[in-house]
Each structure stands twice: as structure tokens, then as C-alpha cells.
Amino acid sequence: MSFAFGFTSDDISDDEVDIDQRQPTKTENEASAILAAVELITPSFVDLSDILSSLRNIRITFDEYVTPGGITVYRRQVYDIKHQIMVEEDDVSSNAIHDILMGTSDELDLKKNVYEGGFKLWECSYDLVDAVLRYSESGEFNSLKCYLELGCGTSLPTCYLLSKLLSSSAESSIKKVIISDFNLEVLRLVSIPNIIISWAMTLSPEELSTVEDKNIPLNNDELILTPALLSKFQEQLEIKNIELLLVHGSWGAKFCDLLIPQQPDFILTSETIYSLESLPIVLEILLLLLENKPAYLALVAAKEYYFGVGGSIVEFMQKLLYKKPSSMAVDTIGNNLGQLKRDIVRMAPAK
Ligand SMILES: C[S@@+](CC[C@H](N)C(=O)[O-])C[C@H]1O[C@@H](n2cnc3c(N)ncnc32)[C@H](O)[C@@H]1O
């Protein structure tokens, strides 16, 4: 049987699934993708204040995009990032990333084991932004406490969710927001700037003018990360009692050791199951992080196929249906969006 989109796990009985993979044995489970993963960059937390200090007084230019669901999102322009790193050129530690940013657009897509695509905006992240809106309206993550975006890159879903949490007068149950990426430079140059732009766009022009430099004229698509603006952002996190945590490094056992104590129960990830290496490990991480939780929601947005690299929604769903606990319900909610078909896999407790 080939898998159809829009199904739920309840629609498929185990004996209908005639793909040529069997239930993994306990030994195979133990030698899971997580343990087998080669740790190219030791994962660790990064101090938000250090990142913000490195961005102080940087002038950023951003683009505006509208998601299929009609939500306006913002992203720092790539030429703007290039400009910043040219100014910082003497920082030898990040030369490999600097070379990628200054290289061809193919390199900006991916340089295996060095850089995994975080500077580029991948289209499934738009779908997660729309999903965040839908689920916030339906109250689906009302009781969840710790949000994680896995492989965040430009972090558009986090930008949208966090700016909603920070600008809302209502108290949110989410008190911890974690973003993670393979590359520290992606978090520093793209994820955090995007989060700040998105939050700043929720301020009124009067509020914004109190934290921008009145002597420097700005276009509508520009922002200066003045110390006052950065302080206001941190103050707003404190007022809302939201902790923003950053993790960089490779997925694997150590990554899970860092994340498990944080107890993430709302996990989003976009375009991270694009290869034969990344797909099983993303699946294992999600199953491990959600294990034994009474309430959770995880959304995995991806393309139907990644030509030439091996990952796909179909394969993810097949493996998930074999490995998931019976207490977990899975379905696809994206309805095959776009020409290069995209979908979202949803994981939640079975009702
Ligand atoms: C194709 S990009 C997608 C970025 C973003 N989620 C989006 O949709 O625009 C894949 C993301 O997964 C992360 N990633 C890939 N392989 C990884 C690994 N082995 N360990 C940690 N992060 C990884 C990359 O850093 C990158 O941000």
C-alpha cells in the first residue's frame, strides 16, 4: 500500500502496512540513530546576553513575506548578514561559515557536516507559522509549557509565536522558548535578529522611536539594534516571565541530554527530515523528548520528497507509525501545499 496524505494513524491497521520494513528489535532500538549520530559540533547552550552584545548597534535590513495563510513575517536579508561578517572579518573562529556566506548559493543551501542550511529561508517554515496561528486560535497548546524549535535556521515559526506571546496581554502557559541550530553563527546572525525584528514590528511607532536613535534616519525595512532596543527586548521577556534559551550543535545523545531536563512539550521543526541521515535522528529525538508526557504537540513540516537526498514526509510517517507508542496519535494536517508538495505531520496524545 502506498501512503496517502491526510490520513490518521487510526485509519491504518498494522496489517495494512506492507512496506518492507519490520518492527525493529530491542537491540536495534538501543543502537538508535541518536546514539549512532556522529557529533560534529558538541551541543551546548549559548548565552542570549552574549549574542545580544555581539549584535549591539548593528543596523539590520529585512524583507517582509506573507504566508499562505496571510500572516506577515520578517527575515533579515542575506546581503545584510554578509555585510556584518565582512565588518567582523578578523574573527577567525567563524571562517568556515564566513566562506559559505560569501560563496555560491548552492553552498548557502547546504554544506554537509559544516553548515546545514540555516541561513536560507525554507518554505515549509511558512506553513508552521500558519499552523501556530491555527493552534493558538483553537487553544491546542494552551496548557503547554516549554516550546522548542528544532533546526530553527531563520526561525520564522518561533518569531511569530514569541512575538505573539510578548505582545499579548493574556498570560501564556509557555514559559520557556528554546531554539536550536547546528551552527552558532546561524543563531547569532539570523535566528535572533529575526526574533527581534518580529517582536519590534509589534511595537507602536511611538514605542519604537523611544528605543531607536533619533539622529539616524531609518527606512521602514531597517532597524538598529540599539542597546535600548535590546534591553527592552530582554525586559519584555522578563515581564512575561519567558526564558529564551539557545542551543547550538549536532543532534545526538548529548543534544538529548541537554534538552530532556528542559521538558519540551511543544516542538516544531521545519525542513529537517531532508536526508537519510537527518530523518531517523529527528524522529528519535522527537520520540525521546515526548516520551511519557501527558500533554504535548509536535509538528514536523517538510516536503513530500527531497529529490536526490532521500528524506520525505512519506518515509517519516512510515517510520513514525512503527516506532511511536500506542498512546501517541499521528496524522498529517498540511493538505499537500504548493507545487513541490509540502505537508505537516502532527504528533499528539491519542484521545
Ligand atoms: C534545511 S534547514 C531548515 C531551516 C529552517 N527550519 C527552515 O525551515 O527554514 C535544516 C536545519 O536543521 C539543522 N540541522 C540539520 N542537521 C543537523 C544536525 N545534524 N544537528 C543539528 N542541527 C541540524 C540545520 O542547522 C538547519 O537549521
Side-chain angles (χ1 to χ4, degrees):
M1 168 200 133
S2 65
F3 280 85
F5 288 89
F7 53 60
T8 70
S9 50
D10 297 333
D11 296 326
I12 302 167
S13 69
D14 283 348
D15 57 3
E16 279 179 271
V17 182
D18 62 357
I19 46 180
D20 59 355
Q21 289 171 24
R22 67 211 148 72
Q23 187 80 32
T25 63
K26 190 161 187 298
T27 321
E28 284 167 326
N29 272 333
E30 279 163 3
S32 68
I34 290 175
L35 295 173
V38 181
E39 213 164 66
L40 296 158
I41 303 176
T42 306
S44 65
F45 284 104
V46 188
D47 197 325
L48 175 64
S49 302
D50 289 346
I51 299 264
L52 295 181
S53 302
S54 81
L55 295 170
R56 200 172 289 154
N57 290 322
I58 296 284
R59 183 180 188 131
I60 46 183
T61 312
F62 51 91
D63 286 320
E64 218 178 278
Y65 298 88
V66 178
T67 67
I71 298 170
T72 304
V73 289
Y74 307 91
R75 183 197 61 152
R76 186 179 189 188
Q77 291 192 354
V78 175
Y79 85 77
D80 190 79
I81 303 168
K82 290 185 185 188
H83 180 258
Q84 181 178 347
I85 60 159
M86 270 155 51
V87 173
E88 296 175 344
E89 218 162 31
D90 48 348
D91 178 0
V92 187
S93 64
S94 41
N95 267 350
I97 292 300
H98 291 192
D99 291 349
I100 285 161
L101 270 168
M102 292 305 176
T104 63
S105 63
D106 279 358
E107 281 174 336
L108 207 59
D109 273 5
L110 201 89
K111 190 159 183 181
K112 202 166 159 24
N113 295 341
V114 177
Y115 154 77
E116 295 286 341
F119 285 119
K120 236 190 89 162
L121 176 53
W122 300 79
E123 56 188 340
C124 292
S125 59
Y126 293 136
D127 302 331
L128 283 187
V129 172
D130 289 339
V132 168
L133 174 64
R134 277 204 306 279
Y135 285 118
S136 70
E137 283 174 347
S138 67
E140 194 124 349
F141 55 80
N142 268 354
S143 64
L144 304 181
K145 296 182 176 63
C146 176
Y147 163 91
L148 165 68
E149 185 173 358
L150 202 57
C152 64
T154 52
S155 73
L156 292 193
T158 305
C159 294
Y160 180 65
L161 176 76
L162 190 58
S163 58
K164 249 177 120 53
L165 297 180
L166 293 181
S167 61
S168 160
S169 54
E171 177 84 3
S172 159
S173 62
I174 297 173
K175 295 297 176 205
K176 209 174 271 185
V177 170
I178 309 174
I179 54 170
S180 76
D181 199 272
F182 188 73
N183 302 106
L184 175 59
E185 288 296 79
V186 167
L187 293 175
R188 184 175 83 88
L189 296 168
V190 146
S191 323
I192 288 295
N194 284 354
I195 284 175
I196 294 173
I197 296 164
S198 178
W199 159 76
M201 291 300 102
T202 66
L203 302 178
S204 67
E206 295 73 31
E207 272 178 304
L208 201 51
S209 71
T210 63
V211 287
E212 284 291 9
D213 187 334
K214 291 176 188 61
N215 300 316
I216 307 178
L218 289 177
N219 295 322
N220 287 342
D221 62 351
E222 288 179 322
L223 207 58
I224 296 180
L225 302 182
T226 61
L229 180 83
L230 298 177
S231 298
K232 192 175 173 76
F233 173 67
Q234 286 187 293
E235 266 165 42
Q236 200 59 34
L237 287 170
E238 274 165 34
I239 290 168
K240 289 286 173 182
N241 200 14
I242 294 173
E243 202 180 352
L244 176 56
L245 298 177
L246 285 60
V247 180
H248 88 108
S250 308
W251 294 325
K254 284 200 184 125
F255 181 86
C256 293
D257 288 348
L258 283 183
L259 268 299
I260 289 169
Q262 303 300 328
Q263 297 283 316
D265 51 9
F266 181 20
I267 308 179
L268 300 189
T269 189
S270 154
E271 309 241 17
T272 49
I273 56 164
Y274 52 82
S275 73
L276 292 176
E277 289 96 18
S278 67
L279 186 148
I281 192 163
V282 169
L283 174 61
E284 295 282 351
I285 289 174
L286 289 169
L287 291 176
L288 193 63
L289 293 179
L290 300 174
E291 201 171 42
N292 299 326
K293 295 224 158 56
Y296 59 84
L297 175 66
L299 302 176
V300 179
K303 303 213 172 74
E304 185 179 357
Y305 288 107
Y306 290 88
F307 295 102
V309 273
S312 73
I313 281 269
V314 177
E315 178 144 356
F316 183 80
M317 197 68 172
Q318 287 174 349
K319 284 191 168 18
L320 176 59
L321 285 169
Y322 272 119
K323 291 211 147 192
K324 76 175 187 65
S326 56
S327 58
M328 178 185 281
V330 299
D331 56 6
T332 54
I333 58 162
N335 297 326
N336 278 333
L337 296 153
Q339 274 189 327
L340 267 176
K341 295 207 181 319
R342 315 190 299 273
D343 215 325
I344 299 175
V345 176
R346 172 178 169 275
M347 302 156 76
K351 292 206 172 115

